[in-house]
């Protein structure tokens, strides 16, 4: 097994357990992150041995097997269950490791799946095989700690210890501080249009191991098996649905973060600089990005926000990306805008003359949860057991309510509770063809939204507390952040990373 001083031993005879692999991988990730954070110009070589390491492959397998997509097959029609019941996990990982070490591993095309979007259009998803997913997960375990040291604090999507609520909290903070104009933007087909050459150039800034770079490029060029059965090459983009794709998208879009973070640090970092810019009629602005969706909050006038549109387009052009004309617009905070399912708007507080910025569930979010409740209580579901219905709706509504629990959503929660209660009681009456008194006696139904059946109890969304956002600041620590010790500042002589 791997010791603390030499956490990677690619010639280990026995396959490590999950617990020991987790400690070894986390220790190595912490060192990689500290080395990258303390030296911004450092390039890492010999990372390929980490990708091939049994500890990294074990953790990669656990993450692939524990994902919801474990039951979804790739082009080879193999799932995680087939691998487990067939050749076995250890034999499978040994085979993957042998292919990586002998440099015979070649990714296969991803299986394309079309899923509907809220706008009515279709989104392309690429489903890799289980083998490709494990290798991509191992690559992510190695690359993510290095590039997390370079990512800016204004980026929140697909990053450890960050979530959509943190982005909403930062928007709420700035819009409450006179950042009244908002450039709401969206990148058109971001995952499909990323230029491979520009992306690889950004990878080479930190990674000098040609074997790792060749492996990443092989995944980018693997191709797609379309829904009609033809194979197409991938000239641009990274397939949306792969484990490595979100990290690669963040690396590509970090060019936008770096541009605006550099301007913020140079000219708007402190209050004196921002006040001076206001006196001279210049705007102050801040970027908040979640994956390919982002907003720029601006102090000043509408024309200042409009001018930033061309600036953003110029920064994204070298990466092969462009703004979506339909989803990019400039709005005032009093008119409100939707972002990540929330509607953010400044309104007058009821009973006073003061105005505050409120975050509420968007109209689309409320309509979507009502549509799911309605779909589950159609006539064609009358054959279902009531206990199954309660359990399903309980999971759906609790998940929705927990996502919006920080918003001012008490009225929306009560409306959804009433709607769900009406749909449930109507469904039960249709199923049993009995009146309300008999239905209430049979299921012990109280007069409020609380149902019980076969020991299954469901509480409505109104029981979730409604609280305000608390802005946590810009610096959110990653799982690998700690005070670098003397050992972490300089790599050990036996370490594979030099």
């Amino acid at each position: 097994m791997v010791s603390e001083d030499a956490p990677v031993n690619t010639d280990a005879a026995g396959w490590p357990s999950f617990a020991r692999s987790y400690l070894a991988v986390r220790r190595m990730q912490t060192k990689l992150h500290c080395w990258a954070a303390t030296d911004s110009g450092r390039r890492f070589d010999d990372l390929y041995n980490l990708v091939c390491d049994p500890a990294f492959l074990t953790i990669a397998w656990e993450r692939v097997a524990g994902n919801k997509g474990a039951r979804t097959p790739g082009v080879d029609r193999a799932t995680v269950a087939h691998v487990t019941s067939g050749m076995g996990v250890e034999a499978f990982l040994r085979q993957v490791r042998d292919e990586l070490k002998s440099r015979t591993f070649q990714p296969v095309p991803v299986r394309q799946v079309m899923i509907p979007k809220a706008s009515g259009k279709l989104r392309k998803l690429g489903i890799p095989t289980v083998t490709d997913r494990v290798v991509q997960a191992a690559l992510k375990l190695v690359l993510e700690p290095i590039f997390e040291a370079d990512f800016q604090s204004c980026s929140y999507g697909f990053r450890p210890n960050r979530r959509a609520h943190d982005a909403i909290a930062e928007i709420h903070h700035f819009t409450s501080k006179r950042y009244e104009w908002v450039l709401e933007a969206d990148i058109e087909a971001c995952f499909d249009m990323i230029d491979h050459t520009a992306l690889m150039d950004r990878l080479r800034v930190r990674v000098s191991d040609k074997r790792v770079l060749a492996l990443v490029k092989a995944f980018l060029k693997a191709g797609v098996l379309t829904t009609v059965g033809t194979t197409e090459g991938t000239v641009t983009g990274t397939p949306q649905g792969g484990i490595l794709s979100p990290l690669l998208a963040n690396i590509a879009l970090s060019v936008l973060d770096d541009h605006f973070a550099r301007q913020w640090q140079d000219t708007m970092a402190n209050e004196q600089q921002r006040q001076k810019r206001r006196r001279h009629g210049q705007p102050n602005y801040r970027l908040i990005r979640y994956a390919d969706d982002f907003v720029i909050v601006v102090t000043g006038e509408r024309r200042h926000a409009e001018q930033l549109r061309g600036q953003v387009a110029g920064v994204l052009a070298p990466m092969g990306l462009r703004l979506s004309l339909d989803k990019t617009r400039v709005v005032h905070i009093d008119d409100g805008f939707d972002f990540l399912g929330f509607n953010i708007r400044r309104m007058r507080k009821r009973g006073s003359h003061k105005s505050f910025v409120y975050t509420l569930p968007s109209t689309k979010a409320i309509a979507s949860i009502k549509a799911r409740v309605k779909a589950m209580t159609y006539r064609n579901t009358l054959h279902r057991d009531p206990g199954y219905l309660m359990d399903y709706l309980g999971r759906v509504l609790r998940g929705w309510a927990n996502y919006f629990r920080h918003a001012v959503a008490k009225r929306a929660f009560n409306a959804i509770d009433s709607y769900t209660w009406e749909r449930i009681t109507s469904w039960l009456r249709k199923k049993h063809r009995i009146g309300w008194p008999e239905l209430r006696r049979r299921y012990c139904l109280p007069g409020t939204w609380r149902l019980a059946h076969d020991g299954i109890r469901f509480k409505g969304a109104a029981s979730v507390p409604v609280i305000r956002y608390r802005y946590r600041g810009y610096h959110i620590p990653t799982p690998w952040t700690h005070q670098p010790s003397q050992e972490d500042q300089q790599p050990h002589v036996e370490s594979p990373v030099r």
Side-chain angles (χ1 to χ4, degrees), residues 313-331:
V315 174
L316 293 176
M319 299 301 302
L321 302 174
R322 60 178 180 268
L323 294 177
S324 173
L325 298 178
D326 299 335
K327 299 181 181 179
T328 302
R329 61 188 183 124
V330 175
V331 297

Side-chain angles (χ1 to χ4, degrees), residues 405-430:
R405 64 178 179 176
H406 297 291
V408 183
K410 185 176 181 179
R411 186 176 300 177
F413 285 170
N414 290 335
I416 294 172
D417 278 350
S418 301
Y419 178 80
T420 307
W421 172 255
E422 294 173 1
R423 296 291 306 185
I424 286 288
T425 53
S426 175
W427 185 86
L428 290 173
R429 286 198 297 268
K430 292 176 183 177

Side-chain angles (χ1 to χ4, degrees), residues 28-44 143-151 159 206 478 480-485 488-490:
M28 193 64 214
Q29 285 183 318
T30 302
K31 289 188 176 184
L32 289 172
H33 183 75
C34 289
W35 296 337
T38 53
D39 186 0
S40 59
R42 181 173 187 156
R43 300 182 69 205
F44 291 81
L143 296 178
E144 189 175 47
I146 297 173
F147 286 94
E148 273 292 325
D150 298 333
F151 288 159
R159 295 184 59 188
R206 277 298 198 176
T478 61
W480 321 291
T481 303
H482 73 289
Q483 293 295 329
S485 61
D488 293 333
Q489 292 176 2
Q490 294 295 331

Side-chain angles (χ1 to χ4, degrees), residues 1-181:
M1 177 53 191
V2 188
S3 66
E4 181 174 355
D5 291 335
V8 177
N9 180 11
T10 56
D11 296 324
W15 203 263
S17 64
F18 171 75
R20 300 181 71 183
S21 298
Y22 178 82
L23 293 176
V25 169
R26 182 51 60 92
R27 189 182 300 118
M28 193 64 214
Q29 285 183 318
T30 302
K31 289 188 176 184
L32 289 172
H33 183 75
C34 289
W35 296 337
T38 53
D39 186 0
S40 59
R42 181 173 187 156
R43 300 182 69 205
F44 291 81
D45 62 350
D46 206 7
L47 295 176
Y48 194 76
N49 285 335
L50 293 177
V51 180
C52 304
D53 182 67
F56 278 79
L57 290 176
T58 300
I59 300 301
W61 167 262
E62 292 294 333
R63 295 193 175 181
V64 170
N67 192 280
K68 278 196 309 184
R71 295 172 293 181
T72 306
V75 295
D76 58 355
R77 296 297 176 184
T79 62
V80 170
H82 293 153
V83 173
T84 305
S85 60
M87 62 188 306
V89 175
E90 184 173 337
F92 170 75
L93 293 180
R94 288 184 181 276
Q95 178 180 337
V96 173
R97 180 170 179 262
D98 291 340
E99 291 181 5
L100 288 172
K101 288 179 67 67
S102 62
R103 304 291 300 279
T104 59
F105 174 80
Q106 285 295 330
V108 298
V110 298
R111 182 169 67 90
Q112 189 179 85
V113 177
M114 310 297 288
I115 61 173
K117 298 171 64 175
S119 61
K121 299 180 181 179
L122 295 177
R123 184 192 305 275
K124 297 179 182 179
L125 285 185
I127 310 299
T129 62
V130 176
T131 304
D132 291 352
R133 286 180 231 172
V134 171
V135 178
Q136 286 190 29
L139 268 173
K140 184 180 179 182
L141 289 173
V142 175
L143 296 178
E144 189 175 47
I146 297 173
F147 286 94
E148 273 292 325
D150 298 333
F151 288 159
Q152 301 295 333
S153 58
C154 60
S155 170
Y156 292 95
F158 305 116
R159 295 184 59 188
N161 279 9
R162 287 170 175 258
R163 56 180 184 166
H165 301 83
D166 299 323
I168 298 297
E170 186 169 357
I171 295 174
H172 184 276
H173 171 78
F174 279 102
T175 50
S176 301
K177 302 290 184 181
R178 295 170 55 188
Y179 288 75
E180 298 178 345
W181 289 100

Side-chain angles (χ1 to χ4, degrees), residues 155-352:
S155 170
Y156 292 95
F158 305 116
R159 295 184 59 188
N161 279 9
R162 287 170 175 258
R163 56 180 184 166
H165 301 83
D166 299 323
I168 298 297
E170 186 169 357
I171 295 174
H172 184 276
H173 171 78
F174 279 102
T175 50
S176 301
K177 302 290 184 181
R178 295 170 55 188
Y179 288 75
E180 298 178 345
W181 289 100
V182 179
L183 173 62
E184 182 189 3
D186 180 77
I187 301 175
E188 183 178 357
C190 174
F191 284 85
D192 299 331
M193 301 301 294
I194 296 176
D195 185 80
H196 289 173
T197 303
L199 175 60
M200 294 303 298
D201 289 341
R202 293 191 68 82
L203 278 170
R204 291 188 185 96
V205 173
R206 277 298 198 176
V207 180
S208 61
D209 192 332
K210 294 183 179 180
R211 296 169 296 177
V212 172
L213 295 173
L215 188 58
V216 173
K217 190 172 183 179
F219 279 115
L220 294 175
K221 300 293 186 181
V224 177
L225 180 64
T226 63
T227 54
V228 297
T230 60
T231 303
E232 297 180 355
T234 49
V235 181
T236 61
T238 173
Q240 189 171 357
I243 295 177
L244 194 60
S245 296
L247 177 60
L248 296 179
N250 270 334
I251 293 174
L253 293 174
S254 62
V255 64
L256 186 66
D257 306 336
D258 295 341
H259 174 78
F260 282 95
R262 189 162 49 247
Q263 291 187 348
W264 177 270
Q265 291 295 331
D266 293 344
T267 61
M268 295 169 275
N270 54 61
E271 184 64 26
Q272 290 77 13
Q273 290 177 326
R274 293 193 289 270
Q275 291 288 351
K276 183 179 179 180
R277 289 177 62 88
R278 290 194 188 100
R279 287 194 301 268
H280 288 79
Q282 296 176 328
N284 299 315
Y285 43 87
R286 179 76 180 181
L287 169 74
I288 300 99
R289 182 178 66 83
Y290 190 92
D292 57 339
D293 296 330
F294 64 91
V295 298
I296 303 177
V297 290
V298 184
T299 61
E301 302 175 3
R302 182 185 182 94
R303 60 184 177 86
H304 295 141
E306 293 285 359
Q307 291 170 359
L308 290 175
R309 189 199 301 256
Q311 188 175 342
V312 170
V315 174
L316 293 176
M319 299 301 302
L321 302 174
R322 60 178 180 268
L323 294 177
S324 173
L325 298 178
D326 299 335
K327 299 181 181 179
T328 302
R329 61 188 183 124
V330 175
V331 297
H332 195 271
I333 189 61
D334 290 341
D335 298 328
F337 64 98
D338 292 344
F339 189 66
L340 302 179
F342 290 85
N343 180 264
I344 307 171
R345 184 187 302 267
R346 187 170 63 185
M347 298 182 293
R348 184 177 61 86
K349 184 179 180 181
R350 188 167 50 186
S352 70

